[in-house]
Amino acid sequence: MSTTTTHTLSVLVNNAPGVLTRTAALFSRRGFNIESLAVGPTERPELSRMTLVAQVDDPIVLEQLVKQLNKLVEVIKVVELERNAVQRELILVKVRSTMENRSQIIDTVGLFRGKTVDVGPESITVEATGSREKLDAMLEMLQPFGVVELVQSGIVALGRGSRTITDKNRP
């Protein structure tokens, strides 16, 4: 009997149109939900990096997914990151506020090393980065004030140590 585990894949790709679509379609065709997806440029403008988080219940299936990813023309390298990799998400939260509770909201956000990015007459928008658990805890603390709106990025992650995903790909 296998158990479902969460896996974080770092995928180095050529920065070209359609790569994201083909990657997402590969997961979709196999019936896997991508829990988190972040894509952005790397230190080399011709390359992008995708960080994908998915739950897979069988190591053989994960291996097949990685092999299928590697078959995509634009994919240069796929690495499963260790559980101890540096992983962060960004969240922006608009919270209902009044003059009376604004400082309490700011203090609460400060406990999570967040910051205020916009203040209006009836709301305050805050930003925080960290693990999903940390951000969930902050949201729980902000709920009593009234969360009006929020947006959360996908996970971005880097392996620890000096090795990089591009080590073998440098000219």
Side-chain angles (χ1 to χ4, degrees):
M1 182 174 162
S2 56
T3 59
T4 302
T5 56
T6 301
H7 300 272
T8 303
L9 300 177
S10 187
V11 184
L12 189 65
V13 298
N14 286 316
N15 190 2
V19 178
L20 176 59
T21 302
R22 285 187 283 286
T23 302
L26 187 146
F27 277 76
S28 176
R29 281 193 308 270
R30 284 153 186 77
F32 290 99
N33 183 42
I34 298 173
E35 288 185 19
S36 174
L37 172 64
V39 184
T42 67
E43 67 282 1
R44 296 175 59 189
E46 71 275 14
L47 301 177
S48 289
R49 182 188 206 126
M50 293 183 191
T51 305
L52 292 135
V53 178
Q55 287 194 354
V56 180
D57 58 0
D58 185 346
I60 294 170
V61 172
L62 177 65
E63 185 179 323
Q64 290 171 344
L65 271 172
V66 169
K67 285 180 182 178
Q68 292 297 312
L69 277 171
N70 276 312
K71 286 183 182 180
L72 295 176
V73 173
E74 298 88 354
V75 172
I76 296 166
K77 191 172 185 179
V78 180
V79 173
E80 181 180 4
L81 295 174
E82 302 281 329
R83 290 208 180 278
N84 72 345
V86 177
Q87 298 187 21
R88 297 290 184 271
E89 289 185 72
L90 167 74
I91 191 168
L92 294 171
V93 187
K94 188 178 292 184
V95 182
R96 191 170 287 114
S97 73
T98 62
M99 290 300 291
E100 292 77 29
N101 69 7
R102 188 162 289 146
S103 63
Q104 191 178 356
I105 293 169
I106 292 168
D107 289 345
T108 300
V109 171
L111 293 172
F112 295 92
R113 293 193 219 137
K115 62 183 179 180
T116 303
V117 292
D118 184 58
V119 177
E122 298 174 355
S123 68
I124 183 169
T125 302
V126 298
E127 165 191 310
T129 59
S131 67
R132 184 168 289 169
E133 295 79 15
K134 172 187 165 183
L135 298 178
D136 286 346
M138 185 184 79
L139 280 174
E140 189 175 321
M141 297 292 291
L142 293 174
Q143 281 302 86
F145 300 107
V147 172
V148 177
E149 188 174 21
L150 74 88
V151 63
Q152 194 163 349
S153 73
I155 292 173
V156 292
L158 287 175
R160 293 193 182 271
S162 60
R163 289 202 50 174
T164 70
I165 194 170
T166 56
D167 278 349
K168 292 183 181 178
N169 297 302
R170 293 197 186 272

